[in-house]
């Protein structure tokens, strides 16, 4: 099988593979690792050559591309059981669906986005007694801090994926789950009124609360910026919990640093949760179909995901993994945000969902939006680049 993890993530995945081997001692698992940014090209080449791995990590865009070509193993039966048992819901299943009317992937790793990170010492000094519950409360607080000379947000937009961590949850929050997922699936265009409203909200956030040098600072420096008090807040996913120690190893998660969720833009209803994470697929022409299917089923199981969750910096997509297994308060709090019941709605990271050339155009358009704060120009650029809704 093919993976793209390194460092602690690779070690965690190796532990999961060992768990599978303990359950199925007669199955030999060979792990081939490739760099993250080469995964799609390597996987495409291997399938084209007729020698794909039995199983491989893949983001949703790649899942749809391969399923459209009829290359993936149908895992509907596994998903039927999971949904019936309350391990996953239909909103999550839709994210793992291919382009062939089947579910062609399983979750192995999760993340939640739209989290506003801060140190408790900093926000206590600023007088924040409780997180803002509404969008006006958020902007009122940020205006107050800005007026007193405090830089509101630390942003590392030199790494081009960072602006997507803002645009995607704001789009989900402002436009709503239905419009977000229609846009992701190419059923509506970027000039839709609700989508355009979300872009305008984001451009206003950039203008009012981002540092002027956002495009000159990378993610690592951005993280250490708010950790060390240069800025009040940062907006990023739950993975930040495992990175803060590189800035200040003395800080205790949940006590010295924590997060609150991006508040709802309008009304009092909790918006759908912005999620991301890694999926796994099986090759339809696998030479080891029984073992491959067992491996995929294991990756999405409570047993496998508990192994990784115990190590921290990870959210188990399987809803039945108990919160007690997570090692820190921040891990537990982030895991509780993952869609936990049949009614919970989710929107998957738009950046990784669309994939391929369109993903690059989306990132480049966001960079220009950071420079100009011109929402109309961004919409025009994306409307020209993303023609899927044109029919």
């Amino acid at each position: 099988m093919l993976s793209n993890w390194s460092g602690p993530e690779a070690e965690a995945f190796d532990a999961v593979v060992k768990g599978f081997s303990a359950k199925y001692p007669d199955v030999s698992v060979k792990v081939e690792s490739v760099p993250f940014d080469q995964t799609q090209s390597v996987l495409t080449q291997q399938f084209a050559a007729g020698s794909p791995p039995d199983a491989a990590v893949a983001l949703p865009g790649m899942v749809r591309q391969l399923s459209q070509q009829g290359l993936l193993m149908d895992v509907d039966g596994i998903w039927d059981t999971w949904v019936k048992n309350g391990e996953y819901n239909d909103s999550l299943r839709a994210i793992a669906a291919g382009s062939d009317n089947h579910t062609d992937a399983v979750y192995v790793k999760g993340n939640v986005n739209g989290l506003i990170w801060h140190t408790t010492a900093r926000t206590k000094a600023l007088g924040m007694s409780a997180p803002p519950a509404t969008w006006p409360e958020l902007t009122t607080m940020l205006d107050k801090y800005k007026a007193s000379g405090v830089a509101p947000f630390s942003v590392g937009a030199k790494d081009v994926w960072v602006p997507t961590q803002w645009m995607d949850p704001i789009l989900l929050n402002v436009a709503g789950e239905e419009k977000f997922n229609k846009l992701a699936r190419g059923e509506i265009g970027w000039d839709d009124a609700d989508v355009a409203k979300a872009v305008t909200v984001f451009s206003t956030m950039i203008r009012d609360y981002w540092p002027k040098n956002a495009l000159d600072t990378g993610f690592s420096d951005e993280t250490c910026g708010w950790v060390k008090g240069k800025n009040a807040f940062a907006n990023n996913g739950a993975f930040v919990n495992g990175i803060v120690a590189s800035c200040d190893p003395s800080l205790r998660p949940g006590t010295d640093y924590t997060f609150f969720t991006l508040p709802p833009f309008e009304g009092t209803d909790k918006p759908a949760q912005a999620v991301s994470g890694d999926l796994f697929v099986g090759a339809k022409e696998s030479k080891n179909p029984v073992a491959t299917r067992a491996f995929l089923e294991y990756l999405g199981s409570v047993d496998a995901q508990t192994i990784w969750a115990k190590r921290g910096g990870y959210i188990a997509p399987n809803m039945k993994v108990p919160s007690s297994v997570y090692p820190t308060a921040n891990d537990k709090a982030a895991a509780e945000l993952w869609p936990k019941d049949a009614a919970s709605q989710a929107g998957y990271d738009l950046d990784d969902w669309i994939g391929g050339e369109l993903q690059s155009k989306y990132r480049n358009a966001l960079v220009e939006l950071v420079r100009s704060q011109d929402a109309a120009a961004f919409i025009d650029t994306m409307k020209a680049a993303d023609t899927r809704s044109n029919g």
Side-chain angles (χ1 to χ4, degrees):
M1 48 73 52
L2 185 77
S3 77
N4 57 18
W5 293 299
S6 59
E9 287 185 312
E11 295 172 5
F13 185 66
D14 285 344
V16 172
V17 171
K18 288 178 181 177
F20 174 78
S21 296
K23 185 173 182 178
Y24 298 99
D26 294 335
V27 179
S28 174
V29 182
K30 179 183 178 182
V31 179
E32 177 188 354
S33 183
V34 298
F36 177 83
D37 59 357
Q38 296 178 24
T39 308
Q40 184 163 328
S41 61
V42 170
L43 203 51
T44 300
Q45 291 167 9
Q46 291 182 346
F47 270 99
S51 56
D54 291 310
V57 66
L59 292 173
M62 193 64 187
V63 173
R64 296 194 309 280
Q65 177 183 323
L66 294 173
S67 71
Q68 195 170 33
Q69 300 171 47
L71 297 173
L72 298 183
M73 179 179 289
D74 170 5
V75 291
D76 275 336
I78 297 173
W79 273 92
D80 288 344
T81 301
W82 281 341
V83 172
K84 181 179 179 181
N85 293 343
E87 296 176 79
Y88 298 87
N89 65 15
D90 287 327
S91 179
L92 295 172
R93 182 173 188 165
I95 295 169
S99 300
D100 57 359
N101 297 318
H102 293 292
T103 320
D104 292 321
V106 303
Y107 286 97
V108 65
K109 188 172 185 286
N111 184 50
V112 291
N113 300 331
L115 308 183
I116 309 300
W117 291 89
H118 59 94
T119 63
T120 52
R122 181 66 161 147
T123 47
K124 182 178 180 181
L126 290 170
M128 189 184 85
S129 58
T134 66
W135 198 269
E137 287 183 14
L138 173 67
T139 55
T140 297
M141 179 184 71
L142 294 174
D143 287 337
K144 177 183 176 182
Y145 293 168
K146 184 179 176 181
S148 66
V150 175
F153 281 107
S154 186
V155 182
K158 184 177 181 180
D159 292 311
V160 294
W161 57 269
V162 169
T164 73
Q165 291 282 309
W166 284 81
M167 182 70 245
D168 295 352
I170 288 176
L171 179 60
L172 181 62
N173 194 337
V174 176
E177 177 268 337
E178 182 179 358
K179 287 291 184 73
F180 179 92
N181 283 313
K182 282 186 175 181
L183 179 69
R185 288 160 174 78
E187 296 170 7
I188 59 174
W190 287 84
D191 55 350
D192 174 87
D194 293 318
V195 173
K197 181 178 180 180
V199 175
T200 300
V201 170
F202 179 39
S203 65
T204 302
M205 291 288 288
I206 297 171
R207 183 196 67 204
D208 292 346
Y209 307 121
W210 279 31
K212 300 303 180 185
N213 67 338
L215 291 170
D216 300 326
T217 306
F219 171 69
S220 296
D221 291 337
E222 174 262 334
T223 301
C224 292
W226 64 266
V227 167
K228 296 179 179 180
K230 182 179 179 180
N231 310 78
F233 304 107
N235 170 37
N236 259 306
F239 55 84
V240 167
N241 191 50
I243 299 172
V244 171
S246 65
C247 305
D248 186 347
S250 70
L251 294 183
R252 297 162 296 172
T255 302
D256 297 324
Y257 69 98
T258 186
F259 64 83
F260 58 86
T261 56
L262 199 67
F265 183 74
E266 292 179 340
T268 57
D269 292 340
K270 180 183 180 298
Q273 180 60 52
V275 303
S276 56
D278 294 312
L279 306 174
F280 247 76
V281 296
K284 185 176 182 179
E285 300 301 324
S286 167
K287 296 178 181 178
N288 305 287
V290 175
T292 298
R293 189 173 295 275
F295 185 66
L296 294 176
E297 186 170 10
Y298 180 75
L299 289 181
S301 72
V302 171
D303 290 346
Q305 294 183 12
T306 295
I307 292 171
W308 201 326
K310 286 180 177 179
R311 293 169 173 252
Y314 166 92
I315 293 177
N318 191 307
M319 300 180 197
K320 295 294 187 180
V321 174
S323 62
S324 60
V325 307
Y326 293 95
T328 76
N330 283 342
D331 286 316
K332 287 182 172 67
E336 285 301 315
L337 295 174
W338 186 263
K340 290 287 184 181
D341 56 54
S344 296
Q345 297 296 312
Y348 186 93
D349 186 277
L350 181 62
D351 177 45
D352 286 335
W353 172 273
I354 55 182
E357 183 181 357
L358 183 55
Q359 180 183 41
S360 297
K361 291 180 177 179
Y362 176 48
R363 290 180 171 185
N364 291 337
L366 283 173
V367 168
E368 187 55 38
L369 181 63
V370 174
R371 288 196 182 100
S372 68
Q373 293 100 62
D374 189 336
F378 172 85
I379 292 167
D380 287 343
T381 298
M382 288 307 301
K383 185 179 177 182
D386 185 2
T387 60
R388 295 173 300 161
S389 65
N390 296 346

